[in-house]
Amino acid sequence: YAADTNQPRLVAFDLNRDKGELTLVFNETVVGSTLNATAITLRATPNDTSGAHQRLGGGALVSSSLSDTRLVIRLTQSDLNALSEKRIALQRERTWLGIDATLVSDRAGESAVPRDAFSGNLLQCRNFTRDSTPPEVTGFSLSMTSGDLVLTFSETVVAASMNASAVVLQSVANT
């Protein structure tokens, strides 16, 4: 018997901005329950250590199995908004990923091989799906005193693209 001393290596990743899912592909089986999404950093460029980046604040494991070399993570809305605000991961060319060793472990307890901008070994996104779902108004507040209307959207929007003449206030919903 020879103990497994090989660390799992992240070999590719895909990002689906429309679903908000990040797929990680490893060279060997990893244990999904050890996933630490906060060990992931997305960057706009591969080697600018001071450039636009976002360390994930969390994420939920969507799928994995005991024999899986692939993990699918659903990103938090907060992280998706931050990526949009920082102009990261809006297209494949601006989607690079780094990880800390604490990302995941294999069945032998070996932690992942780190990838970071300082070492110059970030991965570029393999398959990228852009966000094609339009934002929706999810709430609003209106002050009749100040005349301010505040709209809340399902995702980050570009304020300059707002067309105020397209807003209609009415006392009852359309049926």
Side-chain angles (χ1 to χ4, degrees), residues 9-59:
R9 180 176 300 277
L10 181 66
V11 294
F13 80 97
D14 304 326
L15 180 61
N16 185 323
R17 282 298 303 255
D18 202 43
K19 290 184 177 180
E21 291 182 351
L22 178 67
T23 301
L24 305 176
V25 181
F26 295 88
N27 68 329
E28 67 172 279
T29 301
V30 294
V31 179
S33 63
T34 66
L35 175 70
N36 171 20
T38 65
I40 298 171
T41 301
L42 287 162
R43 290 186 173 273
T45 61
N47 49 20
D48 179 5
T49 58
S50 63
H53 67 280
Q54 175 67 25
R55 178 174 286 276
L56 298 185

Coordinates of all heavy atoms in Angstrom, one line a residue, residues 9-59:
R9 N -5.0 19.2 -8.2 CA -4.7 20.3 -9.0 C -5.9 20.8 -9.8 O -6.5 20.0 -10.5 CB -3.5 20.0 -9.9 CG -3.0 21.2 -10.8 CD -1.8 20.8 -11.6 NE -0.7 20.4 -10.8 CZ 0.2 21.2 -10.2 NH1 0.1 22.5 -10.4 NH2 1.2 20.7 -9.5
L10 N -6.2 22.1 -9.7 CA -7.3 22.6 -10.5 C -6.8 22.8 -11.9 O -5.7 23.5 -12.1 CB -7.7 24.0 -9.9 CG -8.8 24.7 -10.7 CD1 -10.1 24.0 -10.5 CD2 -9.0 26.1 -10.1
V11 N -7.4 22.2 -12.9 CA -6.9 22.2 -14.3 C -7.7 23.0 -15.2 O -7.3 23.4 -16.3 CB -6.7 20.7 -14.8 CG1 -5.7 20.0 -14.0 CG2 -8.1 20.0 -14.8
A12 N -9.0 23.3 -14.8 CA -9.8 24.2 -15.7 C -11.0 24.7 -14.9 O -11.3 24.1 -13.8 CB -10.3 23.3 -16.9
F13 N -11.6 25.7 -15.4 CA -12.9 26.2 -14.8 C -13.7 26.8 -15.9 O -13.2 27.3 -16.9 CB -12.6 27.2 -13.6 CG -12.3 28.6 -14.0 CD1 -13.3 29.6 -14.0 CD2 -11.0 28.9 -14.4 CE1 -13.0 30.9 -14.4 CE2 -10.7 30.2 -14.7 CZ -11.7 31.2 -14.7
D14 N -15.0 26.8 -15.7 CA -16.0 27.4 -16.5 C -16.9 28.3 -15.7 O -17.1 28.1 -14.5 CB -17.0 26.3 -17.1 CG -16.2 25.2 -17.9 OD1 -15.2 25.6 -18.5 OD2 -16.6 24.1 -17.9
L15 N -17.4 29.4 -16.3 CA -18.2 30.3 -15.6 C -19.5 30.6 -16.4 O -19.4 31.0 -17.6 CB -17.5 31.7 -15.3 CG -18.3 32.7 -14.6 CD1 -18.7 32.2 -13.2 CD2 -17.5 34.0 -14.5
N16 N -20.6 30.4 -15.8 CA -21.9 30.7 -16.4 C -22.5 31.9 -15.6 O -23.0 31.7 -14.6 CB -22.8 29.5 -16.4 CG -24.1 29.7 -17.1 OD1 -24.7 30.8 -17.1 ND2 -24.6 28.7 -17.8
R17 N -22.3 33.1 -16.2 CA -22.8 34.3 -15.5 C -24.3 34.3 -15.5 O -25.0 34.9 -14.6 CB -22.3 35.5 -16.2 CG -20.9 35.9 -15.9 CD -20.6 36.2 -14.4 NE -21.4 37.3 -13.8 CZ -21.1 38.5 -13.6 NH1 -19.8 38.9 -13.8 NH2 -21.9 39.4 -13.0
D18 N -25.0 33.7 -16.5 CA -26.4 33.7 -16.6 C -27.0 32.9 -15.4 O -28.0 33.3 -14.8 CB -26.9 33.2 -17.9 CG -28.3 33.6 -18.3 OD1 -28.6 34.8 -18.1 OD2 -29.1 32.8 -18.7
K19 N -26.4 31.7 -15.1 CA -26.9 30.9 -14.0 C -26.2 31.3 -12.7 O -26.6 30.8 -11.6 CB -26.6 29.4 -14.3 CG -27.5 28.8 -15.4 CD -27.2 27.4 -15.5 CE -28.1 26.7 -16.5 NZ -27.7 25.2 -16.6
G20 N -25.1 32.0 -12.8 CA -24.3 32.3 -11.6 C -23.6 31.1 -11.0 O -23.4 31.0 -9.8
E21 N -23.1 30.3 -11.9 CA -22.4 29.0 -11.5 C -21.0 29.0 -12.0 O -20.7 29.3 -13.2 CB -23.2 27.8 -12.0 CG -24.5 27.6 -11.3 CD -25.3 26.4 -11.8 OE1 -24.9 25.7 -12.8 OE2 -26.3 26.1 -11.2
L22 N -20.1 28.5 -11.1 CA -18.7 28.3 -11.4 C -18.4 26.8 -11.3 O -18.7 26.2 -10.3 CB -17.9 29.1 -10.3 CG -16.4 29.0 -10.4 CD1 -15.9 29.7 -11.6 CD2 -15.8 29.6 -9.1
T23 N -17.9 26.3 -12.4 CA -17.5 24.8 -12.4 C -16.0 24.7 -12.3 O -15.3 25.3 -13.1 CB -18.0 24.2 -13.7 OG1 -19.5 24.4 -13.8 CG2 -17.7 22.7 -13.8
L24 N -15.6 23.9 -11.4 CA -14.1 23.7 -11.2 C -13.8 22.3 -11.6 O -14.5 21.3 -11.2 CB -13.8 23.9 -9.7 CG -14.1 25.2 -9.0 CD1 -13.8 25.2 -7.6 CD2 -13.4 26.4 -9.8
V25 N -12.7 22.1 -12.3 CA -12.3 20.8 -12.8 C -10.9 20.4 -12.3 O -10.0 21.2 -12.4 CB -12.3 20.7 -14.4 CG1 -11.9 19.3 -14.9 CG2 -13.7 21.1 -14.9
F26 N -10.8 19.3 -11.6 CA -9.6 18.9 -11.0 C -9.0 17.7 -11.7 O -9.7 16.9 -12.4 CB -9.8 18.5 -9.5 CG -10.2 19.7 -8.7 CD1 -11.6 20.0 -8.6 CD2 -9.3 20.5 -8.1 CE1 -12.0 21.1 -7.9 CE2 -9.7 21.6 -7.3 CZ -11.1 21.9 -7.2
N27 N -7.7 17.4 -11.5 CA -7.0 16.3 -12.1 C -7.2 15.0 -11.3 O -6.8 13.9 -11.8 CB -5.5 16.6 -12.1 CG -4.8 16.6 -10.8 OD1 -5.4 17.0 -9.8 ND2 -3.6 16.2 -10.7
E28 N -7.9 15.1 -10.2 CA -8.2 13.9 -9.4 C -9.5 14.1 -8.6 O -9.9 15.2 -8.5 CB -7.1 13.5 -8.5 CG -6.8 14.4 -7.4 CD -5.8 13.9 -6.4 OE1 -6.2 13.1 -5.5 OE2 -4.6 14.3 -6.5
T29 N -10.0 13.0 -8.1 CA -11.2 13.1 -7.3 C -11.0 14.0 -6.0 O -10.0 13.9 -5.4 CB -11.7 11.7 -6.8 OG1 -11.9 11.0 -8.0 CG2 -13.0 11.8 -6.0
V30 N -11.9 14.9 -5.8 CA -11.9 15.7 -4.6 C -13.2 15.5 -3.7 O -14.2 14.9 -4.2 CB -11.8 17.2 -4.9 CG1 -10.4 17.5 -5.6 CG2 -12.9 17.7 -5.8
V31 N -13.1 15.9 -2.5 CA -14.3 15.7 -1.6 C -15.1 17.0 -1.6 O -14.6 18.0 -1.0 CB -13.8 15.3 -0.2 CG1 -15.0 15.1 0.7 CG2 -13.0 14.0 -0.3
G32 N -16.3 17.0 -2.2 CA -17.1 18.2 -2.2 C -17.4 18.9 -0.9 O -17.5 20.1 -0.8
S33 N -17.5 18.0 0.1 CA -17.9 18.6 1.4 C -16.8 19.4 2.1 O -17.0 20.1 3.0 CB -18.4 17.5 2.4 OG -17.3 16.6 2.6
T34 N -15.6 19.3 1.5 CA -14.5 20.1 2.0 C -14.3 21.5 1.3 O -13.4 22.2 1.6 CB -13.1 19.4 1.9 OG1 -12.8 19.2 0.5 CG2 -13.2 18.0 2.6
L35 N -15.2 21.7 0.4 CA -15.2 23.0 -0.4 C -15.2 24.2 0.5 O -16.1 24.4 1.4 CB -16.3 23.1 -1.4 CG -16.4 24.4 -2.2 CD1 -15.2 24.5 -3.2 CD2 -17.7 24.5 -2.9
N36 N -14.3 25.1 0.2 CA -14.2 26.4 0.9 C -14.2 27.5 -0.2 O -13.1 27.9 -0.7 CB -13.0 26.5 1.8 CG -12.7 27.9 2.3 OD1 -13.6 28.8 2.3 ND2 -11.5 28.2 2.6
A37 N -15.4 28.0 -0.6 CA -15.5 28.9 -1.8 C -14.8 30.2 -1.5 O -14.4 30.9 -2.5 CB -17.0 29.2 -2.1
T38 N -14.5 30.6 -0.3 CA -13.8 31.8 0.0 C -12.3 31.7 -0.3 O -11.6 32.7 -0.2 CB -14.0 32.2 1.5 OG1 -13.4 31.3 2.4 CG2 -15.5 32.4 1.9
A39 N -11.9 30.6 -0.7 CA -10.5 30.4 -1.2 C -10.3 30.7 -2.6 O -9.2 30.6 -3.2 CB -10.0 29.0 -0.9
I40 N -11.4 31.2 -3.3 CA -11.4 31.5 -4.7 C -11.3 33.0 -4.9 O -12.0 33.8 -4.3 CB -12.6 31.0 -5.4 CG1 -12.7 29.4 -5.3 CG2 -12.7 31.4 -6.9 CD1 -14.0 28.8 -5.8
T41 N -10.4 33.4 -5.8 CA -10.3 34.8 -6.2 C -10.4 34.9 -7.7 O -9.7 34.2 -8.4 CB -9.0 35.5 -5.8 OG1 -8.8 35.4 -4.4 CG2 -8.9 36.9 -6.2
L42 N -11.4 35.7 -8.2 CA -11.5 36.0 -9.6 C -10.8 37.3 -9.9 O -11.0 38.3 -9.2 CB -13.0 36.0 -10.0 CG -13.6 34.6 -10.1 CD1 -15.1 34.7 -10.0 CD2 -13.1 33.9 -11.3
R43 N -10.1 37.4 -11.0 CA -9.3 38.6 -11.5 C -9.6 38.9 -12.9 O -10.0 38.0 -13.7 CB -7.8 38.3 -11.3 CG -7.4 38.2 -9.9 CD -5.8 38.1 -9.8 NE -5.4 38.2 -8.5 CZ -5.1 39.3 -7.8 NH1 -5.2 40.5 -8.4 NH2 -4.7 39.3 -6.6
A44 N -9.4 40.2 -13.2 CA -9.6 40.7 -14.6 C -8.4 40.4 -15.5 O -8.6 40.3 -16.7 CB -10.0 42.1 -14.6
T45 N -7.3 40.3 -14.9 CA -6.0 40.0 -15.7 C -5.2 38.9 -15.0 O -5.3 38.7 -13.8 CB -5.2 41.3 -15.8 OG1 -4.8 41.7 -14.5 CG2 -5.9 42.4 -16.5
P46 N -4.3 38.3 -15.8 CA -3.6 37.1 -15.2 C -2.4 37.5 -14.3 O -2.1 36.6 -13.5 CB -3.1 36.4 -16.4 CG -3.0 37.5 -17.5 CD -4.1 38.4 -17.2
N47 N -1.8 38.6 -14.4 CA -0.6 38.9 -13.6 C -0.5 40.2 -12.9 O 0.5 40.6 -12.4 CB 0.6 38.6 -14.5 CG 0.5 39.3 -15.8 OD1 -0.2 40.2 -15.9 ND2 1.3 38.8 -16.7
D48 N -1.6 41.0 -12.9 CA -1.6 42.3 -12.2 C -2.1 42.1 -10.8 O -3.3 42.0 -10.6 CB -2.5 43.3 -13.0 CG -2.5 44.6 -12.3 OD1 -1.8 44.8 -11.3 OD2 -3.3 45.5 -12.8
T49 N -1.1 42.0 -9.9 CA -1.5 41.7 -8.5 C -2.3 42.8 -7.8 O -2.9 42.6 -6.8 CB -0.3 41.3 -7.7 OG1 0.6 42.4 -7.7 CG2 0.4 40.1 -8.2
S50 N -2.2 44.0 -8.4 CA -3.0 45.1 -7.8 C -4.2 45.5 -8.6 O -5.0 46.4 -8.2 CB -2.1 46.4 -7.7 OG -1.7 46.8 -9.0
G51 N -4.5 44.7 -9.6 CA -5.7 45.0 -10.5 C -7.0 44.5 -9.9 O -7.1 44.1 -8.7
A52 N -8.0 44.7 -10.7 CA -9.4 44.3 -10.3 C -9.5 42.9 -9.9 O -9.1 42.0 -10.7 CB -10.4 44.7 -11.4
H53 N -10.0 42.6 -8.7 CA -10.1 41.2 -8.3 C -11.3 41.1 -7.2 O -11.6 42.1 -6.6 CB -8.8 40.6 -7.7 CG -8.4 41.3 -6.4 ND1 -7.8 42.5 -6.3 CD2 -8.6 40.9 -5.1 CE1 -7.5 42.8 -5.1 NE2 -8.1 41.9 -4.3
Q54 N -11.8 39.9 -7.1 CA -12.9 39.7 -6.1 C -12.6 38.3 -5.5 O -12.7 37.3 -6.1 CB -14.2 39.7 -6.8 CG -15.4 39.3 -5.9 CD -15.7 40.4 -4.8 OE1 -15.3 41.5 -5.0 NE2 -16.3 39.9 -3.7
R55 N -12.4 38.3 -4.2 CA -12.3 37.1 -3.4 C -13.8 36.8 -3.0 O -14.5 37.6 -2.5 CB -11.5 37.2 -2.1 CG -11.5 36.0 -1.3 CD -10.5 36.1 -0.1 NE -9.2 36.0 -0.5 CZ -8.5 34.8 -0.7 NH1 -9.1 33.7 -0.5 NH2 -7.2 34.8 -1.0
L56 N -14.2 35.5 -3.3 CA -15.5 35.2 -3.1 C -15.9 35.2 -1.6 O -15.0 34.8 -0.8 CB -15.9 33.8 -3.7 CG -15.7 33.6 -5.2 CD1 -16.2 32.2 -5.6 CD2 -16.5 34.7 -5.9
G57 N -17.0 35.7 -1.3 CA -17.5 35.7 0.1 C -18.2 34.5 0.5 O -18.6 34.3 1.7
G58 N -18.5 33.6 -0.4 CA -19.2 32.3 -0.1 C -19.6 31.7 -1.4 O -19.1 32.0 -2.5
G59 N -20.6 30.8 -1.3 CA -21.1 30.1 -2.5 C -21.6 28.7 -2.0 O -21.1 28.2 -1.0

